[in-house]
Amino acid sequence: MNTLTLKSIELYGKHGVHDEEREKGNRFELDVIIHGDFTGAGRNDDLSLTLDYSLIEDIVLKVMSGPSHLLIESLCKKIGDELLKEAPGIQSMELALRKMNPPLKSRTSYAEIRMQWQR
């Protein structure tokens, strides 16, 4: 099994518990770690034998610009479910979704949820 990783994809979305977060939006970051058999792509230098990064990005951007989620947990689950549905080459996957500068009294760099999927 091989691993394909996209690190710190910078995103913007109108998600959060507070009205202001859903109105003004916030910055997010996403790590996508995908496991599958990509040896054919390496052997043949053939994009059709791996996952096209732009497909992953398109799915993530579609979810991020879609209906607001109150929780990063439900937002992360939606992204992962959509990736798994649209990319049959994924055998397993882990996502780490970070909400940058969460609305807390204390200075906090981010809040993060990690989730895993398995076929």
Side-chain angles (χ1 to χ4, degrees):
M1 185 160 354
N2 312 123
T3 303
L4 174 68
T5 303
L6 297 176
K7 261 317 206 193
S8 298
I9 301 169
E10 294 183 12
L11 303 163
Y12 173 82
K14 295 183 176 185
H15 307 281
V17 171
H18 303 288
D19 291 340
E20 185 175 336
E21 293 179 288
R22 291 190 308 279
E23 292 168 9
K24 292 184 178 178
N26 200 357
R27 292 183 319 111
F28 295 82
E29 279 187 357
L30 179 67
D31 298 338
V32 179
I33 303 165
I34 294 173
H35 303 283
D37 182 6
F38 309 122
T39 53
R43 185 173 30 259
N44 298 303
D45 199 26
D46 185 344
L47 179 61
S48 70
L49 299 175
T50 191
L51 286 174
D52 187 340
Y53 308 154
S54 62
L55 171 66
I56 297 168
E57 181 184 44
D58 289 348
I59 293 167
V60 170
L61 292 175
K62 179 181 171 190
V63 173
M64 288 300 294
S65 65
S68 290
H69 289 256
L70 298 178
L71 305 176
I72 61 173
E73 292 87 344
S74 64
L75 182 59
C76 185
K77 183 173 182 342
K78 177 70 174 174
I79 293 169
D81 289 349
E82 290 297 314
L83 286 170
L84 210 57
K85 183 171 72 172
E86 298 296 327
I90 297 173
Q91 293 177 1
S92 65
M93 171 178 62
E94 179 177 333
L95 301 181
L97 180 63
R98 291 178 289 282
K99 178 190 282 192
M100 310 309 289
N101 303 308
L104 298 172
K105 292 177 186 171
S106 304
R107 184 180 171 133
T108 306
S109 295
Y110 58 82
E112 178 181 86
I113 180 69
R114 288 181 176 269
M115 292 186 168
Q116 297 178 344
W117 287 258
Q118 185 89 32
R119 282 206 200 270

